[in-house]
Amino acid sequence: HNRDCSFVVYAGDVFEFEHPTEAMGVVCWSNESCELAGTSEGEKLLEYGGPELQQDISTLPIVLKSPYGPVRCGTGNAVIIGPEKYGKLEAPCVLLTVGPLSPTNLEDALEDDTDSLHYIKNMLRSCYRSSRVLAKHAELQALALSLLTTRKTGQAYEQTLRVGLQTLVEEVKFSHLRDLHIVASSAKEASIVIAMMTDMGHRQI
């Protein structure tokens, strides 16, 4: 059913998400082993979530052994940890999702590579969808996430942002979410996202 879900867009930090409801979560981008050390977002999540969060992530089941290490979440999928009180995080639920772009090395050779871009868009859709499904099962009412994108210029950047937004707008219809916070990496990115939302027919309040 289609209910009203407010989209809140701002530049900031997903880990500082606060909300009046206790049924809230944050979505963080990860790798397949859910190993957070080594990316700036992952390190920050560990810093906020503390040893309890690290402990719960390390007990996630291993679904596959790969040459790169244990796989706890495949690309395009998501896993949920919590609800629990994790360190300085206000949100009791943490969702990890594995995108097609490495959070440390956002490829920029995509401008002319339509096959890669097509794959990336499909996998991004799958990440946002998987996160929404988990959020629904956990009956979350508020969620904060950042949009995974390429290098901050060019066509691929705009297209990956737009795919994320379109997917989220479709997916919230099938959730319990009342508030979805899209946390941009900069004021410039926030303004691009707001312009895209306006283009898609969403009015600003």
Side-chain angles (χ1 to χ4, degrees):
H1 57 223
N2 192 352
R3 291 177 299 85
D4 283 340
C5 175
S6 301
F7 283 72
V8 184
V9 180
Y10 54 92
D13 206 326
V14 80
F15 311 113
E16 291 170 1
F17 180 48
E18 293 180 1
H19 196 275
T21 181
E22 289 183 8
M24 61 170 162
V26 293
V27 178
C28 300
W29 297 94
S30 180
N31 52 29
E32 291 192 323
S33 64
C34 297
E35 177 59 63
L36 296 175
T39 71
S40 58
E41 190 178 58
E43 300 271 5
K44 219 162 190 180
L45 176 57
L46 287 178
E47 185 189 318
Y48 273 80
E52 302 84 7
L53 180 63
Q54 177 66 73
Q55 173 61 33
D56 283 2
I57 291 172
S58 66
T59 58
L60 287 169
I62 293 169
V63 291
L64 193 72
K65 291 267 176 56
S66 85
Y68 307 103
V71 174
R72 291 189 162 90
C73 181
T75 302
N77 287 328
V79 290
I80 188 166
I81 302 118
E84 195 61 68
K85 176 64 188 126
Y86 292 122
K88 295 183 288 184
L89 284 177
E90 291 286 327
C93 290
V94 176
L95 292 85
L96 299 179
T97 187
V98 181
L101 297 160
S102 155
T104 45
N105 173 30
L106 300 174
E107 292 84 352
D108 51 15
L110 289 170
E111 294 303 318
D112 310 315
D113 187 348
T114 50
D115 284 350
S116 288
L117 197 52
H118 180 70
Y119 165 78
I120 282 166
K121 286 177 177 178
N122 280 341
M123 280 296 145
L124 283 175
R125 280 191 198 98
S126 179
C127 286
Y128 295 120
R129 200 166 287 133
S130 302
S131 300
R132 190 274 304 166
V133 168
L134 290 178
K136 183 179 182 185
H137 286 315
E139 297 187 1
L140 299 184
Q141 294 189 2
L143 199 60
L145 53 74
S146 52
L147 297 170
L148 189 65
T149 58
T150 59
R151 200 168 51 103
K152 307 288 184 225
T153 54
Q155 206 182 338
Y157 172 62
E158 301 251 340
Q159 286 185 34
T160 46
L161 276 183
R162 193 176 291 276
V163 161
L165 283 176
Q166 286 168 337
T167 308
L168 290 167
V169 167
E170 288 158 21
E171 289 296 318
V172 294
K173 298 173 186 172
F174 309 103
S175 74
H176 298 289
L177 292 173
R178 296 181 181 282
D179 284 302
L180 181 64
H181 288 224
I182 295 172
V183 185
S185 62
S186 64
K188 185 180 179 191
E189 185 169 285
S191 63
I192 292 170
V193 169
I194 290 166
M196 284 179 179
M197 297 287 289
T198 309
D199 268 0
M200 288 159 66
H202 292 269
R203 55 194 179 81
Q204 286 186 54
I205 297 173

